[in-house]
Amino acid sequence: MGPTETPDDRAMYRRISWRIMPLLLTAYVVAFLDRINVGYAQLQMKETLAFSDAVYALGAGIFFIGYLLFEVPSNLVLEKIGVRKTLLRIMVCWGVVAMAMMFVQTPTQFYVLRFLLGVFEAGFTPGALLYLTYWYPPARRARMIAVFLLGAIFASLIAGPLSGAIMKYFDGLNGWHGWQWLFLVQGLPAPLLGLLAWFVLVDRPEQAGWLSAEEKLRLRQQFDAEHQSATKASHGSLRDLLSDSKVWVLSLVYVLMVAGTYTIAFWTPTLIRSWGVNDMLEIGLYATLPQLFAAAGVILLSRSSDRRRERRWHFTAGALTAASGLAIIALAQGQLGVSLAGLCLAMMGVASVPPVFFALTSEYLPRASVAVGIALVSSIGNLGGAISPSVTSALNASSGGTLYSLYFVMSLYLLAAFIVLTAARPTAPTLQAA
């Protein structure tokens, strides 16, 4: 909340939020669910298709190669054609591919469809983050990014019991395996939401018939005031962005974050099974509890970061919380209660850092570079998701357990915190992180 914000301002932002956030949040829930449900499906796929852990890990990671290649182009197209056309294209295509996963029979088919899922979904998250910068000035941005990114937590919250129930109770229905029904049921909402976005959203605030002329003017004035008071790096082109060392530092931090996040997301069902839980539905139910702590972490850290207009130490606090939770899991040696407590703490930290990170990134980049900059940092960062499943699979195979993988993910978050603390100092003239 800005220092001069009036009751009329708060009413205006509430109206904006109710018009755009429910759809964006729901769409992100579906996107994240289609991205991570392979973590549950693989528990049956490896039995019915004889897929090894290495095949699964490569298929899980190859999603991010397609994501990397098409993320920046998608955001550039969004700037030209608007969010409605972009979301319609993205969500219909990714939904069709997500449902087609039910027909996978060979590793090659698995790899191709996971790659295409990344290609078609590539522009959704950075596009939605860019869209939020059209509606919310920096003083509100971390909170609204946090609300959007809560979709990942909600998806993880329902993924366990929903996936477990589908695989347990639908198995054999119509002659299909449970994992086939999983991909069909969870892929269907995406095209429907894409059509809904076409009819519900508007591309820019000035096109919103539900805002008055006075509200549109006040919104523009608040953005202009924020931009005039902010000191930012100057980037005239993509070439300038690529030559800015701070952009590469932010990208490296996001590589580490994504590697850690998706290692945990993809391997949580396997991790819970290693603690002595074997029933599919029970695994799903145990996986939901940490997401409640994750939601609390997102809300508390992002609100505190916005209130204090500080990003650097808040990011570090979240990263250290994640590392501490993983350390507890490692020390618990498979004891279910203690391990689950550690997973709750780890997820609280893991989920709380992205909103702060993207607020920091959007405040550093000048307005003219935000579309390309967010997509560039996000796309480079997603290399972490491409690499980490195979790395952790190799560590698990060599050690015969998950201990080394836990230490690996701990090191990712500790390194990310160190980089943000040292490279995003508030005294630096080109990066206003605080």
Side-chain angles (χ1 to χ4, degrees), residues 239-255:
R239 179 179 297 179
D240 293 334
L241 277 172
L242 291 172
S243 65
D244 188 335
S245 62
K246 292 288 174 51
V247 172
W248 289 102
V249 168
L250 291 170
S251 298
L252 174 59
V253 171
Y254 198 52
V255 166

Side-chain angles (χ1 to χ4, degrees), residues 361-399:
T361 301
S362 68
E363 290 169 13
Y364 166 59
L365 298 170
R367 188 68 191 173
S369 301
V370 168
V372 179
I374 289 178
L376 179 63
V377 170
S378 181
S379 61
I380 295 172
N382 276 299
L383 280 173
I387 297 169
S388 62
S390 293
V391 172
T392 51
S393 176
L395 289 173
N396 291 343
S398 64
S399 64

Side-chain angles (χ1 to χ4, degrees), residues 40 158-169 182 186 280-281 284:
Y40 293 92
I158 66 173
L162 178 61
S163 301
I166 291 172
M167 290 193 295
K168 182 174 182 177
Y169 297 115
L182 172 65
Q186 296 183 4
M280 291 292 181
L281 185 55

